[in-house]
Amino acid sequence: MIRHDYSRVDPKRRANLDYKKRQFAKAEFQQQNYNHRLNFYVLPPTAEITLDEFETWAIDRLKVLSELEACTFRNRSPEETTEYMRGILDKYLPLRSDSSRSQKLQEERRKDHYSHFILRLAFSSTEDLRRRFSRLETMLFTLRFKDDDLRERADFVKSLELEWEEVREEEKRELKEDLLAASGMVGKKSEEQEWFKVDWERVPELVGQRRILLKRGKAYVPQREQMSLVVAEFTKKLDDALELTARALSELDEDHRLSPILTHLSQSFTTPDAPYSTSDANINGLSTITHQQIDTLSQSFPLCMRNLHDTLRTTSHLKHYGRLQYTLFLKGIGLPLDECIIFWRRSFKLLTDEKFNKEYKYNIRHAYGDVGGDANRRGRGYTPYSCQKLLTEPLPGPGQTHGCPYRTFAPDNLVSVLQRVGVNDREVLKTVREDVGKQRYHVACNRVFEWSHKREIRKVKEDGSWGTSDLDTIVHPNTWFKRSWLLKHLGEGNVGVVDGGAVGQGEKVVE
Amino acid sequence: MPHSVTPESTPTDDSSRTVSQVDTVKPDPETQDVAMEDALTPPETDKPKVKLEDIFDDEDSDEEFPSSAPIATSQDAFSQPPPIQITSQSSFSDSNVMRAFYQRLFPFRPLFQWLNHSATPSNDFAHREFAFTLPNDAYLRYQAFPTADLLRKRCIEMLPSRFEIGPVYSANPQDRKSLKNTLKKANAFRPLMKELVFDIDMTDYDDIRTCCTGASICLKCWSFITMAIKTIDIALREDFGFRHILWVYSGRRGAHAWVCDKRARQMDDQKRRSVASYLELLKGGDQSGKKVNARRPLHPHLERSLAILKEHFQTSILAEQDPWVTEEKAAHLLNLIPDPTLRSALQKKWDSAPSRPSANKWSDIDALAKSGALSKTPKELLEAKQDIILEYTYPRLDAEVSKKLNHLLKSPFVVHPGTGRVCVPIDTRNVEEFDPLGVPTVTQLLQEIDDWRGEEGEKKMQDWEKTSLKPYVDYFRRFVAALVEEEKPTLKREREKGVDAMEF
């Protein structure tokens, strides 16, 4: 029988006891003291937590991050996001200020600290995950930074010791006009404002929005834009750290307790985008689509695709991103590759065969995953763009027609296009105009859908053949098409079967 | 000037190395034994003691390839096969034309120094991606060359109709496949740096250009590019503090900018994006209505741009382009005016005289506004008018090109396959005088070499010096020299400074 040697110390704790190593031992199990509510997450945690805590804390933070991501998908404004996130943060990841004098202050901060580092481990493995994690953590940090107590925030910023050069009085006077014009402050006295001078590379965001004065490579940042400086610094530090974590990750493979948890965490973080399921492509009652049918089918296309189709028909051409968006959509509704190539070849009437084969065909095949790198072919090319993708990509430039018309068209033009495709209800057009004004583009789009299918929707609701989830908000152009087509062909043979639907629910049969 | 760079410091391929040291001793080219790379290469000569910029002395003495020696004598002396007859009728993409171009005209050496940032070959050049478009339109990516000579050799071999320049990678692009299989694969092969580039193309102006459409250009529409160059160049210099900006004619109807400062080369995608969006003003596609909605007070960059562009608006736009002469186009102008009262007054006036020239229509706006048909404040009208000026003059960048570190862009000095014109640098000091239609074509240049009857004398001349390409190459060399000078290792520069200080 093996006698358990109780006199033996836990090997991990031994450092505390071995006199030779005592000088190193102190740091190992020390609790960190959190002086500030906000954290730049520079030092990793060193104390012990239970496995249980490890998992629950990470899941809590993950919930917060995914809600935050959902906010961007829904196109919520910063104010709405703050409002929406308040409850969620309080529930899962509360962080009170010093002034609250809460007993749990240190505990909360500790949880914040640890959960950040756990997720950092979980999301450092691939470039994609790293980028998303860094983006969301930055959003979270910004959110907290904004509602931090003013004095505590100032203290925190001071503790960061960022190198900022203050602009001297005489320079301020000299550049007064420009400083005010650049930052969009009217009627304020520049003397009252404090300005910092930093290399412009540190505030790329402000530069990109043309909100600060640039002179000879130096950016003049007003005090109130300090946030974007701090945030930029935060992102930079986090990005660098994530790279390092990724490299160290392989050493973690040894630990059989942690790696399953981490894999699980990172898996539940994937599939963020509005779903495009291949089931969107097979619609009962609609046999394999050929290129001749596109013109007829385009009646059931959402406006973004209809617009591309009409532009293509009138000008016999589309620019690159328009082609890409439309090709992927067509692929999504089930148009086979060879038909798609014929479709484009016929549509580009003004091009010679040679030019078409040389400059256009490859891209179509690439989008279908017929050519290209291994990953592209294995993944069968790109997935059709979702509304979220269309709504967040850069606005089209002159001559370009891609994107979501509700977002890219001037309201007047939008309305006239809608009228042309048969939306003539004054009330609907008015509300669409309002929606668009509030940047609720997908709401406007769904409104148009509901109006143009109102009879059919009423019918399926009445006979109960479609559940509420079948009529959920549309967040993907391909879902629009599928639903529209099914509704318009109700009662034709076996047509009208919602197969999988957008949200992936089970089959429901009409009649 | 300190001869810090010995001729040996450029370890080019051996065949051309045999003569490396003779130059400083004997200026006579006839005494030298010259290794020829291939039968068609004219004998190479040393010591082109042209009064070019002294800075290049060192490298030049190493021998510069594209000299054909005096044509008359050399043919006898070396019993060379007679040169291909190149007339201005020859096709631009003819393989003989392209071969002669790469052999005799293309300034590989300055191009090398430009990308290498010093005289000694370094990874800045060796790890740089080149992409060739071959005569059969195959596209060959990830080419890389240790030296200028090897690049030249490959060009003569493959005769690319053009080639593009990509970023410097963390490893040799040729080895990228094997690197992918190594353990630390994730980051072993990634782009490190590239010049910040801009592309302005006339296609983006098609909705406001009336003189030509599609691929054709004339001097009238070139003024769009002139305006763009002026506006962007000054913003890059004054706002961002960049100093080494090379503008290059793209060969047909546009211009490229290469910002070569170290600071610019090292920018990541995010910074490139923000520079591009700082300079971008026009937003929205064809259906979006008003494309310029600038915030007031105008950002200093826009204020300055407006001041530059205003002058052009009167001449280049109103007079030359006459953008609102048709009814349909005038309707667009009306849409841009915010005031409904004024709009209907203008509409009425123009309906009676539909084809009034644009300049008159433009002044009608103010005239009618003064006569009382204005329901908004004069300030709002002024701002709207400013927005209109900007919409019709402000540079339209192909921003995607600038946003990515690993975007490829056509190299300067290659031949545009469609027009045959050489993509020459544009001197920003005389940007107004630049005439895209006066840029020499490759056939014209080769003809000029043949026609050259000047004094050869004791100094050897490069072939390009005999042609109208000379001012462009000279300009490029000065540009490169300034860049190389700035990037000299600091230690040395400081030492030089120290010497100066002693002398004072």
Side-chain angles (χ1 to χ4, degrees):
Chain A
M1 204 177 92
I2 304 165
R3 192 176 63 92
H4 199 91
D5 188 359
Y6 289 103
S7 64
R8 251 183 103 91
V9 236
D10 174 2
K12 271 170 97 184
R13 292 207 175 267
R14 211 187 296 161
N16 273 341
L17 304 176
D18 187 346
Y19 72 97
K20 281 182 187 161
K21 291 179 183 165
R22 189 159 295 161
Q23 50 176 328
F24 306 112
K26 200 174 163 233
E28 204 181 345
F29 300 108
Q30 202 181 34
Q31 283 283 1
Q32 257 184 50
N33 197 27
Y34 302 99
N35 290 325
H36 302 285
R37 175 173 172 263
L38 297 168
N39 195 334
F40 248 45
Y41 310 112
V42 177
L43 288 177
T46 47
E48 283 190 359
I49 55 170
T50 65
L51 262 184
D52 215 28
E53 282 172 321
F54 186 89
E55 194 165 359
T56 46
W57 288 0
I59 289 174
D60 281 351
R61 194 182 190 91
L62 191 58
K63 278 193 184 124
V64 170
L65 294 186
S66 21
E67 286 294 338
L68 208 52
E69 193 169 46
C71 285
T72 54
F73 292 166
R74 307 232 164 86
N75 237 340
R76 285 208 164 97
S77 70
E79 292 75 32
E80 285 171 324
T81 310
T82 319
E83 197 49 46
Y84 178 77
M85 288 305 293
R86 187 163 293 140
I88 290 163
L89 278 170
D90 278 348
K91 188 168 171 207
Y92 294 109
L93 215 57
L95 260 192
R96 265 168 283 228
S97 62
D98 286 347
S99 52
S100 72
R101 300 186 191 282
S102 164
Q103 295 291 316
K104 293 186 170 167
L105 218 58
Q106 290 296 321
E107 241 168 81
E108 286 170 2
R109 291 177 187 182
R110 195 161 76 114
K111 179 177 173 189
D112 175 58
H113 186 208
Y114 279 64
S115 59
H116 169 89
F117 272 94
I118 298 167
L119 290 194
R120 200 188 264 192
L121 278 179
F123 299 131
S124 58
S125 54
T126 70
E127 176 76 38
D128 260 3
L129 281 175
R130 283 199 293 270
R131 218 179 302 137
R132 265 178 74 208
F133 180 66
S134 143
R135 202 187 64 225
L136 292 175
E137 277 290 334
T138 307
M139 277 177 70
L140 180 62
F141 180 82
T142 319
L143 208 66
R144 287 169 165 176
F145 190 87
K146 270 192 206 153
D147 66 21
D148 203 6
D149 179 88
L150 280 182
R151 196 148 41 94
E152 282 171 40
R153 179 162 76 190
D155 278 351
F156 171 70
V157 170
K158 204 179 249 169
S159 77
L160 295 175
E161 293 179 356
L162 306 171
E163 287 166 19
W164 298 337
E165 190 188 333
E166 261 184 57
V167 178
R168 281 167 295 110
E169 284 302 320
E170 51 212 273
E171 200 175 355
K172 249 200 272 183
R173 261 196 302 281
E174 197 181 315
L175 295 173
K176 189 178 160 194
E177 296 290 306
D178 285 352
L179 283 172
L180 290 180
S183 53
M185 287 186 272
V186 207
K188 284 189 193 164
K189 287 188 182 140
S190 62
E191 288 82 9
E192 291 167 9
Q193 268 280 354
E194 288 298 320
W195 304 82
F196 296 106
K197 212 161 39 163
V198 296
D199 286 341
W200 74 264
E201 283 96 336
R202 287 180 57 182
V203 282
E205 205 184 315
L206 292 176
V207 171
Q209 295 166 358
R210 231 183 282 124
R211 268 165 49 197
I212 43 166
L213 177 68
L214 276 184
K215 260 203 155 23
R216 305 245 149 234
K218 291 280 182 200
Y220 290 71
V221 186
Q223 177 84 43
R224 58 167 185 156
E225 300 286 6
Q226 191 190 41
M227 187 176 87
S228 96
L229 274 172
V230 176
V231 170
E233 201 65 28
F234 177 85
T235 315
K236 200 179 125 225
K237 285 222 166 83
L238 180 56
D239 284 345
D240 291 351
L242 278 170
E243 287 274 311
L244 288 176
T245 317
R247 263 180 249 171
L249 206 58
S250 53
E251 288 166 34
L252 215 75
D253 283 350
E254 314 280 304
D255 196 322
H256 298 299
R257 298 163 308 160
L258 295 190
S259 37
I261 301 180
L262 292 179
T263 352
H264 182 72
L265 283 174
S266 62
Q267 271 165 4
S268 53
F269 198 42
T270 43
T271 58
D273 209 340
Y276 162 73
S277 53
T278 37
S279 68
D280 276 359
N282 48 64
I283 300 170
N284 285 348
L286 184 60
S287 51
T288 312
I289 301 172
T290 59
H291 66 272
Q292 294 102 331
Q293 288 170 280
I294 302 290
D295 278 317
T296 345
L297 288 176
S298 73
Q299 303 302 321
S300 303
F301 286 1
L303 196 61
C304 44
M305 302 303 165
R306 188 100 188 245
N307 172 42
L308 287 174
H309 188 80
D310 294 346
T311 318
L312 179 64
R313 283 290 173 253
T314 40
T315 62
S316 297
H317 196 258
L318 281 183
K319 290 214 169 191
H320 175 79
Y321 287 104
R323 290 199 304 272
L324 190 59
Q325 179 180 327
Y326 198 36
T327 306
L328 292 176
F329 173 77
L330 292 176
K331 175 179 143 189
I333 68 171
L335 187 71
L337 172 62
D338 41 349
E339 288 293 326
C340 190
I341 291 176
I342 300 175
F343 170 75
W344 284 110
R345 179 65 279 251
R346 298 259 163 99
S347 304
F348 288 169
K349 290 191 205 81
L350 309 174
L351 291 182
T352 61
D353 271 339
E354 192 198 349
K355 193 168 164 67
F356 178 81
N357 287 337
K358 214 166 68 188
E359 290 173 26
Y360 298 91
K361 201 167 154 188
Y362 185 87
N363 284 337
I364 303 169
R365 295 176 59 202
H366 199 264
Y368 270 78
D370 192 42
V371 285
D374 207 26
N376 186 46
R377 270 176 293 149
R378 229 180 306 126
R380 310 245 175 108
Y382 318 163
T383 32
Y385 289 165
S386 65
C387 294
Q388 188 244 329
K389 161 91 181 155
L390 297 180
L391 287 174
T392 45
E393 68 191 352
L395 285 167
Q400 294 181 322
T401 40
H402 63 273
C404 170
Y406 293 94
R407 170 168 173 251
T408 59
F409 282 27
D412 287 339
N413 293 342
L414 176 66
V415 166
S416 66
V417 171
L418 281 173
Q419 280 165 337
R420 207 167 58 225
V421 300
V423 184
N424 43 29
D425 185 299
R426 193 123 17 101
E427 196 54 33
V428 170
L429 291 174
K430 197 174 139 246
T431 28
V432 163
R433 218 184 253 275
E434 283 168 15
D435 289 335
V436 170
K438 286 186 202 144
Q439 303 189 319
R440 297 171 197 261
Y441 309 114
H442 68 290
V443 176
C445 184
N446 276 285
R447 201 181 295 287
V448 170
F449 183 88
E450 277 161 24
W451 182 83
S452 45
H453 300 81
K454 57 177 183 291
R455 243 176 335 119
E456 294 83 355
I457 292 179
R458 201 177 322 122
K459 184 161 176 264
V460 293
K461 265 194 188 153
E462 272 167 12
D463 61 18
S465 49
W466 285 32
T468 38
S469 51
D470 296 323
L471 294 165
D472 211 10
T473 314
I474 298 173
V475 287
H476 201 297
N478 285 89
T479 318
W480 164 297
F481 169 73
K482 181 179 181 179
R483 202 179 289 176
S484 168
W485 196 86
L486 288 176
L487 285 173
K488 292 286 180 196
H489 293 76
L490 279 175
E492 296 173 14
N494 64 344
V495 163
V497 180
V498 187
D499 196 4
V503 264
Q505 68 279 18
E507 288 195 3
K508 294 190 181 65
V509 186
V510 190
E511 285 145 13
Chain B
M1 154 158 193
H3 278 251
S4 51
V5 186
T6 59
E8 283 81 8
S9 59
T10 336
T12 47
D13 55 326
D14 289 0
S15 57
S16 57
R17 297 284 314 145
T18 40
V19 289
S20 53
Q21 274 186 311
V22 197
D23 51 339
T24 38
V25 195
K26 284 188 183 178
D28 184 2
E30 298 296 318
T31 60
Q32 287 165 26
D33 108 327
V34 175
M36 279 189 274
E37 281 178 20
D38 52 38
L40 277 174
T41 318
E44 307 186 16
T45 48
D46 285 346
K47 192 67 179 181
K49 246 176 72 185
V50 212
K51 270 182 281 162
L52 287 165
E53 304 66 48
D54 287 352
I55 306 119
F56 284 89
D57 245 357
D58 303 329
E59 290 84 55
D60 279 350
S61 56
D62 195 7
E63 81 17 57
E64 171 88 287
F65 23 73
S67 165
S68 67
I71 290 168
T73 55
S74 74
Q75 268 173 19
D76 304 346
F78 293 91
S79 66
Q80 220 186 350
I84 333 109
Q85 279 308 305
I86 288 153
T87 64
S88 46
Q89 269 80 47
S90 304
S91 158
F92 305 131
S93 47
D94 187 281
S95 62
N96 286 333
V97 172
M98 288 314 284
R99 184 176 296 115
F101 174 72
Y102 285 122
Q103 276 175 340
R104 305 169 77 174
L105 287 166
F106 194 94
F108 285 100
R109 191 58 63 87
L111 186 89
F112 164 78
Q113 295 201 335
W114 171 50
L115 298 174
N116 190 57
H117 315 113
S118 87
T120 25
S122 68
N123 284 346
D124 279 9
F125 188 82
H127 291 178
R128 173 79 76 157
E129 176 185 354
F130 290 87
F132 284 13
T133 307
L134 300 184
N136 60 2
D137 275 327
Y139 191 58
L140 220 58
R141 279 198 65 183
Y142 298 116
Q143 306 295 301
F145 308 94
T147 64
D149 293 5
L150 291 174
L151 170 63
R152 172 174 184 261
K153 211 170 142 195
R154 182 58 66 84
C155 281
I156 294 170
E157 226 171 79
M158 319 251 286
L159 301 178
S161 55
R162 62 198 174 120
F163 61 87
E164 294 177 321
I165 298 177
V168 179
Y169 285 92
S170 53
N172 192 329
Q174 307 260 29
D175 303 336
R176 75 194 182 287
K177 287 238 166 90
S178 60
L179 280 167
K180 272 185 187 163
N181 299 326
T182 56
L183 274 174
K184 29 172 193 168
K185 58 181 173 182
N187 289 319
F189 186 69
R190 61 175 195 283
L192 288 183
M193 55 183 191
K194 196 198 64 190
E195 288 73 12
L196 171 65
V197 292
F198 294 94
D199 181 8
I200 306 165
D201 195 292
M202 205 69 86
T203 33
D204 294 323
Y205 288 88
D206 274 348
D207 60 327
I208 52 169
R209 184 159 73 126
T210 58
C211 49
C212 318
T213 52
S216 55
I217 61 156
C218 65
L219 274 180
K220 276 188 198 166
C221 46
W222 182 255
S223 63
F224 281 118
I225 304 291
T226 310
M227 288 187 267
I229 294 180
K230 277 173 144 182
T231 326
I232 300 290
D233 191 70
I234 196 160
L236 290 172
R237 284 177 205 277
E238 293 199 344
D239 295 354
F240 290 95
F242 295 134
R243 290 163 52 202
H244 301 280
I245 305 167
L246 183 72
W247 287 92
V248 182
Y249 173 49
S250 72
R252 200 205 296 262
R253 47 171 176 175
H256 300 157
W258 297 78
V259 185
C260 310
D261 295 64
K262 194 159 201 167
R263 210 171 152 184
R265 297 203 307 268
Q266 288 168 337
M267 281 163 31
D268 57 21
D269 281 357
Q270 192 202 9
K271 300 201 181 86
R272 283 166 206 264
R273 260 200 311 277
S274 57
V275 177
S277 89
Y278 180 84
L279 296 172
E280 237 185 341
L281 181 63
L282 276 70
K283 287 270 158 66
D286 295 337
Q287 295 288 325
S288 63
K290 198 157 177 265
K291 292 197 184 67
V292 176
N293 290 298
R295 186 165 49 82
R296 311 290 155 161
L298 280 178
H299 187 277
H301 161 59
L302 295 180
E303 194 73 62
R304 179 188 52 210
S305 306
L306 188 63
I308 299 171
L309 296 169
K310 240 185 216 157
E311 298 166 27
H312 288 274
F313 185 71
Q314 290 298 337
T315 52
S316 308
I317 304 297
L318 290 182
E320 288 173 11
Q321 293 291 337
D322 206 358
W324 305 304
V325 72
T326 64
E327 222 164 323
E328 181 196 345
K329 302 252 177 180
H332 181 64
L333 173 61
L334 281 176
N335 274 334
L336 297 176
I337 291 170
D339 188 332
T341 333
L342 181 58
R343 203 154 49 202
S344 53
L346 286 169
Q347 179 81 64
K348 222 164 100 198
K349 177 156 189 166
W350 295 348
D351 279 345
S352 57
S355 47
R356 258 169 98 71
S358 301
N360 296 8
K361 283 182 177 161
W362 182 247
S363 47
D364 285 346
I365 299 176
D366 273 341
L368 285 181
K370 267 200 194 107
S371 68
L374 187 67
S375 58
K376 299 205 172 180
T377 61
K379 187 160 169 276
E380 276 172 290
L381 181 66
L382 177 73
E383 285 172 0
K385 280 180 68 183
Q386 286 177 339
D387 283 353
I388 294 171
I389 296 181
L390 287 173
E391 176 167 338
Y392 278 83
T393 53
Y394 193 85
R396 301 178 170 201
L397 298 170
D398 184 352
E400 292 306 313
V401 178
S402 313
K403 287 177 184 169
K404 284 266 190 277
L405 171 58
N406 56 4
H407 203 107
L408 296 141
L409 191 67
K410 189 159 57 152
S411 161
F413 287 105
V414 300
V415 174
H416 188 288
T419 60
R421 297 194 197 284
V422 178
C423 301
V424 294
I426 301 170
D427 190 341
T428 37
R429 287 165 305 181
N430 307 318
V431 65
E432 304 268 2
E433 278 122 70
F434 186 84
D435 172 13
L437 304 173
V439 170
T441 62
V442 56
T443 43
Q444 183 191 334
L445 288 172
L446 293 172
Q447 190 68 46
E448 279 171 11
I449 302 179
D450 290 347
D451 293 345
W452 192 76
R453 293 284 172 273
E455 283 292 301
E456 190 86 39
E458 72 212 58
K459 55 185 177 189
K460 274 284 173 280
M461 281 182 79
Q462 314 282 326
D463 271 342
W464 55 263
E465 285 181 82
K466 303 166 187 165
T467 68
S468 46
L469 198 61
K470 181 173 190 307
Y472 300 112
V473 177
D474 283 346
Y475 173 80
F476 184 56
R477 294 172 67 134
R478 277 197 302 278
F479 176 85
V480 174
L483 180 66
V484 172
E485 174 67 28
E486 182 171 291
E487 307 226 349
K488 267 187 197 167
T490 27
L491 216 168
K492 198 170 139 213
R493 199 162 55 212
E494 266 157 28
R495 206 191 312 140
E496 274 174 13
K497 254 188 220 155
V499 171
D500 283 350
M502 296 283 278
E503 281 169 356
F504 270 99

